[in-house]
Amino acid sequence: MSNIGHPEAASKFASDIKRMKWHDKALWFVRKKRDLQSHSVKEWEELRKIADKIKTHTLSRLDFYLREFEKNAKANNIEVHWAKDANEHNKIVLDILQKQGAKKLVKSKSMLTEECQLNPFLEKNGIEVVDTDLGERIVQLRHEPPSHIVLPAIHLKKEDVGTTFEEFLHTQKGNSDPTYLTHAARKHLREKFLASDASLTGVNFAISQTGGIVVCTNEGNADLGASLPKLHIACMGIEKIIPKLEDLAIFTRLLARSATGQPITTYTSHYHSPQRDGEMHIVIVDNGRSKILANDKYIKSLQCIRCGACINTCPIYRRSGGYSYGYIIPGPIGSTLGASHDIEKNYTLPFACSLCASCTNICPVKVDLHEQLYLHRQDVVDAGLLDKTKYKALKIATWIMKYPLIMDISGKIARKIVPLLPRSIVYSKYNIWGKNRELPKFPKNSFKELYKARKK
Amino acid sequence: MYKIGLFIPCFMNELYPKASMDTLKILESFGLEVEYPMEQTCCGQPQANTGCAKETSILAKRFLEIFKKYDYIVAPSGSCVSMVRYNYKQFLEGLDGFEHIQKNTYELIEFIHDIVKPEKLNVSFPHKVGIHNSCHGHRELGLASMSEKNVEPFSKIKDILDMVDGITFSKLERNDECCGFGGTFAITEEAMSIAMGKARIQDHIDAGSEYITGVDMSCLMHMQGLIDREKLPIKTIYIAQILSKGLK
Ligand code: SF4
């Protein structure tokens, strides 16, 4: 991933205007499908309220619900492991695989394992890892990270997929027919499934009361994985807990509608015990989450159910692409999580936002996304990471604004002088506003002057 | 009779004296008592949106001191009002008068719609107009129903403009997408700001708007800047300039 900040990466993405517009349109299409679905559920806003309440409550007693979950899962013959960070998580997974002599792992989508960089770690240790979600497989073959949490290959056109498959799956040259490519992928993945020794899935919801987990997919790949090999490992962040089975219905009604505009995902699979003669393990990961849990300003970001709606609606994401964020999760939710995780590395992310608040209002669990990004900006300043010139300019502006007379005089001088200056000076390279926009025409008098004159 | 303190955003005072004057004229045309306190400057929004809490706090306190004596504070800007209503709390909570200004600071159209409640306006503007729902007025102040939510559609802006003779409205493909102004965002994320602004304007052109109007001059300034540079066949007009047509 890039080391440059968001503005530079975004500007690069947007310089291919045609591709930028295509990317924007593709995601807006998903947003519109979501609108149709959410508008067809008349209690939609009520569902959001309840989901928010359940999540708020759960987070307030997370230690209790996690222990309950562990107890109940163990009673179901599931082994439960705790990992304080990515490193521990990766080691635990490797350890489980090695104990079983497993060499070939099929994975269904898990953003957590992306966050922990599990794949390269396992590969280094001699394990073959195959991502089995179609989009994930495409980016895996291309050695790219996902550019979106629900639509990992959304940055690619079908022609890009065609050439990738040509190279790795030996499909016909120049054939980018989606049905043809999907069949080729399916055949390829079936072979991988049948030859696998173990599977790894993510977790959408972990139910404290029952000690089971729920995974939502559209391709059924989690189910194939969890049913074919005897060993199933499920990895989850500590925030995936919901208290009761009844609560699940609230979230499944919100999740797919928000994510892709479907009423429900094709598969909603419940795993409550290992298969016969098999093993099931759940790895529960902190990796910085308890730090967020302890912070009132950002705690709600742990409510996220990873639907991606805030990403699809974000007018910046749609025009800058997932990689511009340089963090594993893009868009509004990624920007707040990234800033919480490592402000120094991700200090441009809270500013990759016009504070339009679309994200906050679309979020099915009411994460206060734009408010968090607004507050993270104060952390950036406190950490001394704000661009020095900008900081100085704002300090001077504040000083001027403390003294109305000085503001009036500076305003008057600017209004007098700017119109007299040659265009080359007014529109010099320091005038970022004027790079692609005209300045407003400077009037002779300020409002205050007109007001005074009128009163006389 | 109540007394209104008129807050004119700093950049409007300097750059848009006519639009500011039109704001005053409309309020006066309802027979209201309006005063513009001379010592006002800036609400602190640029500082706040850049994370400069210390600097914002200085300007927030100034604002409070200057405006707390008025029954209502009215401003021709959704985003400055949103600043007072939602973002001042961090800096002013507990101070004398804060709750008062928080409750009684209104954006112009919101004030006309919710408090003045006129039955008719004697204005005519026979043009096809596209409404730009600028984000802070739209999603923070709730001037209209937002596309993200499943609620009964409404628009206070349209309710008021509906009283203008001859006006017609264009139907946009994206009714409430951000124009990309975003305060210092327009500079920090220049490429994004430009791309978003151009997309918004194109939507209006495609929908046949002759004018883009709205409650935030800042968004209009950004879009007008693009229109002027690209020489596009459309104009922006601040909403008070429509409503004050013919007023002396
Ligand atoms: S923050 Fe909300 S909208 Fe964004 S991915 Fe998470 S649940 Fe979805």
Side-chain angles (χ1 to χ4, degrees), chain A residues 430-447:
Chain A
Y430 300 105
N431 178 359
I432 300 172
W433 175 275
K435 226 173 106 191
N436 289 292
R437 279 168 292 221
E438 291 297 301
L439 290 167
K441 289 181 191 67
F442 282 39
K444 225 174 112 224
N445 297 105
S446 70
F447 168 74

Side-chain angles (χ1 to χ4, degrees), chain A residues 112-282:
Chain A
L112 175 66
T113 56
E114 290 289 341
E115 175 187 322
C116 295
Q117 293 289 294
L118 178 68
N119 288 14
F121 175 81
L122 292 181
E123 280 159 2
K124 251 198 338 245
N125 284 283
I127 310 276
E128 183 199 78
V129 186
V130 176
D131 279 313
T132 60
D133 171 275
L134 178 56
E136 289 263 318
R137 185 62 182 151
I138 295 168
V139 292
Q140 189 187 27
L141 288 173
R142 296 170 61 94
H143 303 289
E144 287 172 356
S147 72
H148 186 291
I149 61 176
V150 175
L151 314 158
I154 188 71
H155 60 294
L156 299 172
K157 295 190 172 184
K158 61 178 195 280
E159 292 77 16
D160 303 323
V161 179
T163 48
T164 306
F165 280 14
E166 243 170 77
E167 185 181 344
F168 295 100
L169 310 185
H170 312 296
T171 52
Q172 287 162 9
K173 212 171 155 39
N175 194 340
S176 58
D177 174 54
T179 315
Y180 170 72
L181 294 177
T182 313
H183 280 144
R186 177 193 275 183
K187 195 166 151 267
H188 159 74
L189 286 170
R190 278 293 143 99
E191 286 158 14
K192 295 291 180 191
F193 276 120
L194 290 168
S196 64
D197 309 314
S199 80
L200 187 147
T201 67
V203 170
N204 287 95
F205 305 99
I207 304 163
S208 182
Q209 178 198 41
T210 66
I213 59 158
V214 176
V215 181
C216 306
T217 71
N218 274 328
E219 297 166 21
N221 53 324
D223 307 78
L224 269 177
S227 321
L228 284 169
K230 292 282 178 203
L231 174 61
H232 174 197
I233 307 168
C235 301
M236 59 178 263
I238 54 172
E239 81 284 16
K240 292 289 168 196
I241 294 278
I242 55 173
K244 291 183 298 205
L245 189 59
E246 290 105 279
D247 301 330
L248 182 67
I250 300 286
F251 295 99
T252 47
R253 292 189 74 193
L254 289 165
L255 178 61
R257 289 190 169 90
S258 299
T260 50
Q262 298 163 266
I264 192 152
T265 42
T266 318
Y267 300 89
T268 302
S269 311
H270 296 239
Y271 300 102
H272 275 82
S273 61
Q275 33 169 317
R276 203 174 299 144
D277 309 324
E279 271 184 31
M280 180 171 169
H281 298 256
I282 295 177

Side-chain angles (χ1 to χ4, degrees), chain B residues 220-240:
Chain B
L220 299 180
M221 169 173 80
H222 161 64
M223 286 190 276
Q224 190 63 52
L226 281 165
I227 292 169
D228 289 343
R229 177 64 59 90
E230 308 276 321
K231 306 208 171 11
L232 299 171
I234 191 164
K235 289 186 269 275
T236 60
I237 183 169
Y238 176 58
I239 192 160

